[in-house]
Amino acid sequence: MTTVDTQQTLDYERLFLGGTWATPSTGDRIEVHSATTHERVGSVPEGREGDIDAAVAAARHAFDDPTGWAHFTPTQRGEALERFAKALEVRGAETARRVTVQNGMPTWLSQQWEQGFPPMLVRFFVDLVKQTQEEIRPGLLGKQTMVIRKPIGVVGQIVPWNVPQAITFLALAPALAAGCTVVLKPSPETVLDAFLLAEAAEEAGLPAGVVNVIPGGREVGAYLVSHPGVDKVSFTGSTAAGRKVAAACGELLRPVTLELGGKSAAVILDDADLDSQLEDFFGNTMINNGQVCWTSTRILVPSSRYDEITGTLADLYSGLTVGDPLDPATKVGPLVSERQRERVEGYIAVGKQEARLLVGGGRPHGIDQGWFVEPTVFADVDPKARIAQEEIFGPVLSIIRYEDEQQATQIANDSDYGLGGSVWTADSDRGEAFARTVRSGTFGVNGYANDPVAPFGGVKASGLGRELGPEGLAAFQEITTIYLDRPNA
């Protein structure tokens, strides 16, 4: 038994590494509190360098085993990962609940992203690996060459608190399907869901050392990134932290995938029928309480319809239900922590000096506890203003006026970031043409969705590499060329 139920709290006493629940190297603990009530809801051991050493050693042994995970056939790995997917599904509702309690994600969203997405991704990448064949190429020098794909090795994965399980499986699913072994470091704010993942791996009978879970802070993450036993790093987090991870991996010539920040634009064209798309527009701009890296937090509105559309948006965001994230009716829950609320409120104070406050700007009335901030919208925002250039990571939006499509493209591209974005129009062909003008790793027409079949990632300060799709699988594979003693057919 790995948990102790004391006054409805979840207290884990051991770490999951090497296929077993192991005694941590120290007695340090991570205390977990509800973002809504501030009540203590559980605790886990806080990993230290010694725990990372043990986890990497277990992952290294599992990967190097000549009869182990890396040498399973895709079908053998697929059978084990199907058991893993089923074990995740059994725990799905509880996983969603734990995420909502910890970080404030509305329950209707956690049931989609945190409950439904992980097993979907496991099965998708299992199927994708089975389709990957060795390739024979006729050579220009008269003989054939063979191209094969091998698992890259031990992966150190660091994930954030905002969408902890879905983001975990963006890398964990392809890594495991490819034959890699993983040391996962979840964020201290969201650890209880990560331990459910560990329980699912144990129940599925994944070989010892294939999945290891060591929660900890930044220092533990930095130690994992630079560990000599790690072959590849996957990091999701802030751009500032990503630069440090990139520097460390560059020094070591270690492959790294970085999914970082964003300040995306939602461009409303002059023919848009926004009234019929308000639910999708909300999901594109303020989903998960604004705590998503790809959301379009800059809203570009044409001058010809500026007052009309600004009024529509004021009605939309002022009418959102704010409250208990476990209530299915809630659209906006609390932020993850007091520290995060202070950060967001600091930007709101800046915005009040830079632009016209249209909606919100404070804490919701009648809610006395929880890290809540009102949905907040600024109008008449200068494209160069801080609130239009810097990632806020909360329910705060900036409305920017533009005169024509050329200027809209220029404003959309005038950002250090390039992760997401969207265009809203009654003419899908026009929308597709506009999408091609924006420098961003991903972009949506009349909506936005990270479909597993397509690569996801950013340009500029939004990151390096891609997740999802065949490109996301390739990130966890090494390509080897064998020059054959075989003439071209």
Side-chain angles (χ1 to χ4, degrees), residues 74 77-78 120-133 149 173-174 177-178 452-455 467-475 477:
R77 283 200 297 272
M120 177 195 300
L121 288 180
V122 171
R123 292 181 173 121
F124 170 74
F125 282 106
V126 164
D127 290 341
L128 197 58
V129 168
K130 289 178 180 178
Q131 299 168 20
T132 303
Q133 303 294 325
R149 293 165 177 81
V453 305
E467 298 171 317
L468 297 178
E471 295 81 2
L473 176 62
Q477 295 174 319

Side-chain angles (χ1 to χ4, degrees), residues 144-314:
Q144 295 179 343
T145 61
M146 177 185 292
V147 179
I148 61 176
R149 293 165 177 81
K150 302 177 181 178
I152 203 167
V154 175
V155 176
Q157 185 184 8
I158 300 174
V159 298
W161 46 259
N162 60 323
V163 191
Q165 285 304 298
I167 289 176
T168 291
F169 280 86
L170 293 181
L172 184 65
L176 295 181
C180 299
T181 59
V182 179
V183 177
L184 171 66
K185 192 207 79 68
S187 173
E189 288 84 356
T190 46
V191 290
L192 299 178
D193 52 295
F195 277 64
L196 270 180
L197 181 159
E199 292 177 4
E202 180 185 35
E203 180 181 304
L206 298 186
V210 169
V211 173
N212 308 271
V213 181
I214 309 295
R218 294 179 180 178
E219 297 80 5
V220 171
Y223 187 73
L224 175 61
V225 166
S226 298
H227 199 286
V230 169
D231 299 302
K232 154 89 180 184
V233 171
S234 172
F235 174 84
T236 302
S238 71
T239 296
R243 294 184 192 279
K244 295 178 181 179
V245 172
C249 290
E251 181 69 25
L252 295 165
L253 295 179
R254 177 167 295 168
V256 60
T257 299
L258 301 172
E259 201 275 281
L260 307 177
K263 193 70 180 179
S264 304
V267 181
I268 303 172
L269 299 187
D270 55 16
D271 66 345
D273 178 17
L274 204 60
D275 288 336
S276 66
Q277 299 171 309
L278 289 178
E279 186 69 23
D280 289 337
F281 197 82
F282 160 75
N284 182 227
T285 55
M286 202 179 281
I287 200 166
N288 196 24
N289 318 327
Q291 297 177 139
V292 177
C293 53
W294 50 253
T295 49
S296 295
T297 54
R298 295 181 294 152
I299 303 176
L300 277 55
V301 177
S303 287
S304 61
R305 297 181 60 192
Y306 189 80
D307 291 342
E308 170 208 342
I309 291 175
T310 297
T312 297
L313 296 177

Side-chain angles (χ1 to χ4, degrees), residues 431-442:
E432 290 172 22
F434 184 87
R436 294 175 183 272
T437 71
V438 180
R439 190 178 177 208
S440 180
T442 63

